[in-house]
Amino acid sequence: YSDQNMEIIHKMTKPVSSIVYPFFLLLSFVIFTWSCKSNGASGKSNVVEAETKVKPGPAIKMVNIDQPLENARFSSGDIVPLRLSVTGNTIPDSVRIYFDGKLLATLYSTPWQHDIITQKVRMGKIPLKVMAFSGTRRPQVITRFVLLLSDISPVLFSYDIINVYPHDRSAYTQGLVYHDGYLIESTGQTGKSSLRKAEIKTGKVVQKYDLERKYFGEGIVLLNDRIYQLTWEHNTGFVYDLESFKLIKNIHYNTQGWGITTDGEKLIMSDGTNKIFFIESEYFTVLSSIEVYDNKEAVWQLNELEYINGEIWANIYMTDRVARIDPATGKILSYINLTGLLTEKEKLQQGPEDVLNGIAWDEESKRLFVTGKRWPKLFEIKVRK
């Protein structure tokens, strides 16, 4: 065509293009939207169909755990040998292995076995779960427990007495904290419980707050200029202003309250069992927990707590022992034998429960104070092997 003819054709087609092109875009959008909706409906249908593929009814028994036996005992760091055998005529397509809630491995064929490493696993009764799958059948689930003990043989420590100070004999000591040259103390007994501040050298009580008579006071801790105090069986604790002892609020928990301390960020609480709970301070929510074991057994009745140099120190109720605990694993690192602090003549107990209880640590001067329930003396000591 000549240039003149091309110009005429261009002028004739331009209006058509300006109408057709937007229409084409609109049509494409409608088709795309319809396609997406159709695919979405199809996908939803496929999900429903997939969910209904598992046949109803009981699972078929396909495997059995030959090893380990129920409640088999192992030490931290041991290999737990998991050995499975196929039972019946159905061979599983796959077997999933969980230890302490974590998926460790998936097996697809013989040998149906796996070695479980326990180096970084917590102490206590640990669940071992096996899930066997075959086609669309409901998976078979087997759960077995193993007992994991500490691999540390605790070192035994004794003590030297550095200083002896008077202590109010009427104070049924449940919690003890050092702060700014004074001791803050929680005392127990229903109708006699209190929060108090006392001079170290004289034992004189310079500030006191009495709890309602229905409460049995327990452990205390100081964090961010607030005092947290537990009670025994009421599932209730209290938060006070450090300077005035003014009650700020109540806190609540599901266990008994025994001892409490802090690592500077979290609260750390005992409930009289072998468990220790890590708790955030604002809402008193449990974040995690550990179980405390030595190399032979679970260590129960963990009472008053103190956090010292990265360890949790705990009075063991009704004994003269303090346990030093690794907060990461629950392993007992050592025991401190505090027998003989009070002479038999000094004891004159009002009851068999008037035992060692109360640990306070002066971080700045590295001083350690201990006392007991209705003891006439407060001891500054230094531990030694």
Side-chain angles (χ1 to χ4, degrees):
Y1 295 100
S2 66
D3 291 341
Q4 185 178 3
N5 291 336
M6 289 300 298
E7 184 178 354
I8 293 171
I9 292 172
H10 177 70
K11 288 180 178 178
M12 292 174 63
T13 57
K14 185 176 181 181
V16 176
S17 300
S18 63
I19 296 173
V20 171
Y21 185 69
F23 177 79
F24 174 77
L25 288 178
L26 178 61
L27 180 61
S28 299
F29 176 77
V30 170
I31 294 172
F32 176 76
T33 304
W34 176 84
S35 175
C36 288
K37 288 183 178 180
S38 177
N39 288 340
S42 175
K44 184 176 180 181
S45 176
N46 290 339
V47 170
V48 173
E49 184 180 351
E51 289 175 349
T52 58
K53 279 185 177 180
V54 177
K55 294 181 179 179
I60 297 177
K61 293 183 179 180
M62 292 175 278
V63 297
N64 183 61
I65 299 178
D66 296 333
Q67 292 186 53
L69 299 177
E70 182 71 18
N71 293 321
R73 295 161 67 97
F74 296 90
S75 293
S76 176
D78 286 351
I79 298 295
V80 177
L82 174 64
R83 302 293 182 260
L84 305 175
S85 59
V86 176
T87 60
N89 299 321
T90 303
I91 298 177
D93 299 330
S94 63
V95 174
R96 295 179 191 171
I97 300 165
Y98 298 83
F99 194 65
D100 202 17
K102 298 178 182 178
L103 177 62
L104 297 186
T106 302
L107 309 178
Y108 296 96
S109 61
T110 57
W112 303 102
Q113 60 186 44
H114 183 76
D115 289 337
I116 301 171
I117 300 173
T118 63
Q119 190 66 47
K120 296 183 179 180
V121 180
R122 64 185 176 89
M123 303 296 98
K125 290 188 73 171
I126 312 298
L128 168 60
K129 184 171 77 171
V130 170
M131 296 183 69
F133 296 84
S134 178
T136 60
R137 292 184 175 90
R138 191 179 301 278
Q140 177 194 3
V141 180
I142 311 174
T143 301
R144 183 162 290 180
F145 287 88
V146 299
L147 182 60
L148 198 60
L149 303 175
S150 173
D151 57 339
I152 298 173
S153 180
V155 177
L156 185 63
F157 282 78
S158 187
Y159 64 92
D160 292 317
I161 296 176
I162 307 301
N163 285 302
V164 181
Y165 304 105
H167 179 251
D168 181 2
R169 184 135 210 176
S170 69
Y172 191 82
T173 305
Q174 299 289 77
L176 201 63
V177 171
Y178 174 88
H179 176 68
D180 199 21
Y182 292 87
L183 288 178
I184 302 174
E185 187 172 9
S186 172
T187 68
Q189 295 291 335
T190 304
K192 300 178 181 179
S193 297
S194 68
L195 174 67
R196 52 176 69 189
K197 179 179 179 180
E199 295 176 346
I200 293 177
K201 290 186 177 181
T202 66
K204 179 182 177 182
V205 177
V206 296
Q207 192 173 356
K208 186 180 177 185
Y209 175 89
D210 292 320
L211 276 65
E212 288 184 50
R213 295 186 61 82
K214 66 179 179 179
Y215 291 116
F216 192 117
E218 285 284 348
I220 57 168
V221 65
L222 174 61
L223 179 64
N224 299 328
D225 294 330
R226 290 184 170 189
I227 301 170
Y228 294 77
Q229 182 182 33
L230 303 177
T231 65
W232 181 23
E233 295 181 310
H234 279 83
N235 308 117
T236 301
F238 308 104
V239 182
Y240 307 90
D241 175 73
L242 170 61
E243 297 301 326
S244 65
F245 281 12
K246 181 181 178 181
L247 180 63
I248 298 173
K249 64 178 181 179
N250 292 3
I251 50 179
H252 303 281
Y253 39 91
N254 295 325
T255 64
Q256 291 186 2
W258 284 48
I260 189 168
T261 187
T262 180
D263 60 5
E265 295 181 0
K266 301 179 292 296
L267 300 175
I268 304 171
M269 173 181 164
S270 65
D271 67 348
T273 67
N274 72 320
K275 286 187 176 182
I276 290 179
F277 303 90
F278 297 87
I279 300 168
E280 62 83 30
S281 60
E282 185 62 30
Y283 299 102
F284 220 74
T285 303
V286 175
L287 303 173
S288 61
S289 65
I290 54 173
E291 293 184 51
V292 177
Y293 280 79
D294 61 17
N295 58 332
K296 296 179 181 179
E297 60 189 358
V299 179
W300 286 66
Q301 294 195 298
L302 302 174
N303 202 1
E304 216 272 312
L305 305 179
E306 187 75 8
Y307 193 83
I308 302 176
N309 296 331
E311 300 173 356
I312 300 171
W313 291 31
N315 281 116
I316 302 175
Y317 184 49
M318 300 301 290
T319 77
D320 289 325
R321 284 189 301 164
V322 170
R324 298 169 61 174
I325 303 164
D326 178 2
T329 63
K331 298 177 183 180
I332 289 192
L333 306 173
S334 63
Y335 288 112
I336 307 170
N337 183 3
L338 296 179
T339 301
L341 279 173
L342 282 186
T343 66
E344 292 300 317
K345 186 177 180 179
E346 288 173 326
K347 286 181 180 178
L348 296 174
Q349 295 174 331
Q350 299 182 46
E353 72 279 0
D354 293 357
V355 294
L356 177 78
N357 200 52
I359 310 169
W361 174 242
D362 175 6
E363 173 65 32
E364 184 176 348
S365 300
K366 308 301 179 187
R367 294 187 296 170
L368 178 63
F369 301 94
V370 295
T371 189
K373 303 171 186 287
R374 291 192 281 243
W375 280 23
K377 293 180 179 180
L378 170 79
F379 297 89
E380 180 188 342
I381 65 171
K382 183 176 182 180
V383 297
R384 59 173 172 80
K385 287 188 180 180

